Amino acid sequence: MDASRHLPLRILELGLLFAVCVAHATCDLQCQGSRGAAGGPGASDNVLLQIQTSQVKVGVGSASIKDGSQSRAGLMTMWSDSPTTVVGGSCEYANSGSRGLNAPSATSPYIAKRAYCAADDQLYGGGATCGSCFRVTYDGSEGTDPGRPGSLVVQIVDSGSAKTFDCHVDAFEEIAGARTGVFPIIYEPVDCDTAPGQGAVATVLDGNNAWYTKVIFSNLPQGVHAAKLQLDGATFPMTRVGGATWSASPGGRTGVASFVVSLEGGDSVEFKDCFAQWPVPTLQSCFAEPSSSQPVTTTALATTATTTATTTATTTTTKITATSTAVEPGCGQEAIRPGDTVLFKAHTGNRVTVDGETVHAKWSDTGSWQRLVIEREGTDPVHSGDAVYLRAHTGKLITVQGTQVHAKWGNKGSWEALVIEKAGGGGEICRDDSIYLRAHTGGIIAVQGTEVHAKWRNRGSWERFTIERLGASLLSQ
């Protein structure tokens, strides 16, 4: 997949965007011509098409948030067919450390329906559009693949898209009638639907600390523009940490905690008396019942189907039944667990190898250079969507720096965290499963020939690995 292979596609993409811009009058177009030496050998005509798309204005008090005239032209690609793709997304609604799809912040109906997308850097705005919804429409214009007209409201949950939108295959197919390709689309901001029977949710991601906290706000009709924490009459402005998460430093103050968030369209949502005593544990959350302004506090539990919640309005304890989900299949003794020594076999038959600081896939050996220790907090089996670290025989960790994959460093940072995804479904990761490894960039680790890199977001054969656990059969090879 070198640049020369992508050139015809890039030309076609520019043509698609040009056509849709003209049709909907949503772009400023400018053509410039440049000509080689007149009459000279190798003279050529080169036309540079410069397309400058107008930005969608997002901000407090912006009337454009509900204005149907704010349609813009863009391009859409397919992100993934994995049901757990949202786990690890930069907006952090379904982080593996918050129990992934079972997180209190992952109740959005768009996550449940997989009607979500990643946005390019311009639209993402450093996290400003996390939780925002857009109606994305394809009118049947020529794309790179056969398709049919369609439209769907989608929610932004991640960044790093090379095109305007990079959507889960379910959303992509609903919009374009295809499962792959690049399609010209029109998009406009709209209000999001929220989970029925539940109000806005505030979830503490960094708890038990009166000096610092990190909170994520979810199940809102629009993205959050600003937020503040209130403790016993004192107000502490919150700053965006990244994605949809916000932090505050209340200086050790305790007491009754409330939050006020300002939405993109200018409205405010108040979580009054959210927590009766601050600080609270990590993953404790509160939400306002749709029929009442009184919030209900809950603590996320990964192993139970019901959650006990105490209201601040009364001393009554009530039961809230969680939405039922399919039981994830277990692996028994075949489950991959933290501390296991594993190998990753590529589509070529070779295995990921750490050769000094270099990571490649030149050999099929099962020696020490191919063996990696999988690390993650806890001792329970590794699940699809978990963030893991892979430690090499050198003591260094597999790291994704840009698109390069190497093993130079031993620190556990975001560059070393890899989200492991089970191909074709969720649940525990079992020995000999087909898996993908997603980096902090959104790129998927791939083997191209003998090179190991993270250049693309595809989930094809080049990105698919068989995860092998060290055992008698491998030791004998």
Side-chain angles (χ1 to χ4, degrees), residues 137-143 147-150 175-176 183-184:
T137 302
Y138 170 57
D139 65 4
S141 301
E142 183 181 2
R148 55 105 181 99
I175 296 167
F183 289 88

Side-chain angles (χ1 to χ4, degrees), residues 6 30 34 52 58 83 144 152 184 193 206 223 230 245-246 258 260 293 308 325 379 385 411 422 442-443 449 461:
H6 283 299
Q30 183 180 25
S34 62
Q52 300 174 332
V58 177
T144 61
L152 184 69
D193 291 333
D206 194 334
Q230 296 176 335
T245 66
W246 296 79
S258 301
V260 179
S293 61
T308 299
T325 56
T379 59
N411 52 295
K422 189 168 185 170
S461 60

Side-chain angles (χ1 to χ4, degrees), residues 136-166:
V136 179
T137 302
Y138 170 57
D139 65 4
S141 301
E142 183 181 2
T144 61
D145 292 55
R148 55 105 181 99
S151 183
L152 184 69
V153 175
V154 299
Q155 190 170 55
I156 301 301
V157 299
D158 198 10
S159 58
S161 175
K163 303 298 181 283
T164 319
F165 291 91
D166 197 24

Side-chain angles (χ1 to χ4, degrees), residues 84 99 101-102 325-331 383-384 426-428:
T84 60
R99 300 311 302 173
L101 294 176
N102 294 316
T325 56
V327 177
E328 296 177 342
C331 309
H383 284 69
S384 182
E428 294 179 359

